[in-house]
Amino acid sequence: SQQGEEDPQALSIQEGENATMNCSYKTSINNLQWYRQNSGRGLVHLILIRSNEREKHSGRLRVTLDTSKKSSSLLITASRAADTASYFCAYTDNYGQNFVFGPGTRLSVLP
Amino acid sequence: GAGVSQSPSNKVTEKGKDVELRCDPISGHTALYWYRQSLGQGLEFLIYFQGNSAPDKSGLPSDRFSAERTGGSVSTLTIQRTQQEDSAVYLCASSLPSWTTGETQYFGPGTRLLVL
């Protein structure tokens, strides 16, 4: 299986704290994307980072990519209760043959 | 504007019956994808349509699964002789062309399938 892996599987923090989620993968990638899924809802695209980029920001989100370690991290700063969701990393390999999702990290932000 | 829509939102069926799931992509999106998400699991790629090209069926788990895309727009995922392990949320997504360059995929709300 080429499935990516996120860790931790579940994360519970207090509102205002930062949340860090990690994603590891096994192949050479073209790009890596992070998605959010609220309970009972569809997936929402958060941010895309290309294989030649090392860091990218979008609002309170910061994504890093280390291709030598085949890993990426998603940092949510100053978390809010509304950030409670599952977060998935997804990527395409260099052949574009697969769009692979990890199992996700369930984030709970407590008020 | 209208996003990706899927129907039905929920489907309960008996083992052995056939089901059809529908996806309406965003207008102008030539790429369409089907995924499956079992309870507590990550997303599993099923099939990918890009324009008039032959679909990438590499993710379909068995020959009971098939999908069509008529007129380059609406798609139907059909599961024949459903089994209990087919129970999952089936998600559809669409995007502009060139998925290998990472075009954002926009997801529908999914169809929850329960096979009794």
Side-chain angles (χ1 to χ4, degrees), chain B residues 7-22:
Chain B
S7 61
S9 54
N10 291 282
K11 176 72 177 178
V12 180
T13 190
E14 294 179 349
K15 178 181 174 181
K17 295 287 180 69
D18 298 351
V19 296
E20 283 190 354
L21 312 179
R22 178 188 169 103

Side-chain angles (χ1 to χ4, degrees), chain B residues 14 17 22 28-29 48-49 51 59 76 84 92 96-97 102 104 109 111:
Chain B
E14 294 179 349
K17 295 287 180 69
R22 178 188 169 103
H29 281 191
Y48 160 59
F49 295 90
T76 302
Q84 288 181 329
C92 174
L96 293 170
T104 298
T111 293

Side-chain angles (χ1 to χ4, degrees), chain A residues 30 37 40 43 48 50 96 99, chain B residues 35 43 99-102 105 112:
Chain A
N30 184 287
Q37 185 177 31
L43 286 163
L48 179 152
R50 301 191 188 281
F99 193 57
Chain B
Y35 298 89
L43 287 171
W99 76 326
T100 56
T101 61
Q105 295 187 24
R112 284 173 177 73

Side-chain angles (χ1 to χ4, degrees), chain A residues 7-36:
Chain A
D7 76 87
Q9 292 184 340
L11 178 62
S12 184
I13 59 175
Q14 296 290 326
E15 208 165 20
E17 293 180 339
N18 296 340
T20 299
M21 290 159 274
N22 303 298
C23 169
S24 61
Y25 55 92
K26 298 176 182 177
T27 67
S28 296
I29 62 170
N30 184 287
N31 65 76
L32 187 141
Q33 306 179 31
W34 285 90
Y35 287 82
R36 181 184 72 212

Side-chain angles (χ1 to χ4, degrees), chain B residues 3-68:
Chain B
V4 178
S5 61
Q6 292 185 244
S7 61
S9 54
N10 291 282
K11 176 72 177 178
V12 180
T13 190
E14 294 179 349
K15 178 181 174 181
K17 295 287 180 69
D18 298 351
V19 296
E20 283 190 354
L21 312 179
R22 178 188 169 103
C23 172
D24 280 272
I26 293 172
S27 178
H29 281 191
T30 58
L32 185 147
Y33 318 78
W34 283 98
Y35 298 89
R36 177 170 70 175
Q37 186 176 27
S38 301
L39 187 63
Q41 302 291 316
L43 287 171
E44 175 187 5
F45 167 77
L46 297 178
I47 188 169
Y48 160 59
F49 295 90
Q50 173 59 282
N52 296 321
S53 302
D56 175 0
K57 304 178 181 180
S58 60
L60 295 178
S62 78
D63 58 9
R64 296 186 295 104
F65 288 72
S66 62
E68 292 185 342

Side-chain angles (χ1 to χ4, degrees), chain A:
Chain A
S1 169
Q2 298 297 311
Q3 187 176 46
E5 298 179 359
E6 284 105 337
D7 76 87
Q9 292 184 340
L11 178 62
S12 184
I13 59 175
Q14 296 290 326
E15 208 165 20
E17 293 180 339
N18 296 340
T20 299
M21 290 159 274
N22 303 298
C23 169
S24 61
Y25 55 92
K26 298 176 182 177
T27 67
S28 296
I29 62 170
N30 184 287
N31 65 76
L32 187 141
Q33 306 179 31
W34 285 90
Y35 287 82
R36 181 184 72 212
Q37 185 177 31
N38 291 84
S39 179
R41 307 290 292 273
L43 286 163
V44 173
H45 179 264
L46 295 177
I47 196 166
L48 179 152
I49 186 166
R50 301 191 188 281
S51 59
N52 61 353
E53 297 176 313
R54 292 295 168 260
E55 187 170 313
K56 204 161 183 180
H57 297 255
S58 177
R60 294 183 296 112
L61 306 180
R62 181 171 77 95
V63 168
T64 61
L65 179 65
D66 187 335
T67 53
S68 67
K69 295 181 180 178
K70 290 187 166 53
S71 68
S72 174
S73 67
L74 171 67
L75 168 67
I76 304 175
T77 60
S79 63
R80 306 167 181 168
D83 295 329
T84 295
S86 289
Y87 291 82
F88 295 87
C89 71
Y91 55 90
T92 54
D93 61 27
N94 277 334
Y95 300 100
Q97 295 299 311
N98 289 294
F99 193 57
V100 181
F101 279 83
T105 293
R106 291 184 302 281
L107 173 66
S108 296
V109 181
L110 307 175

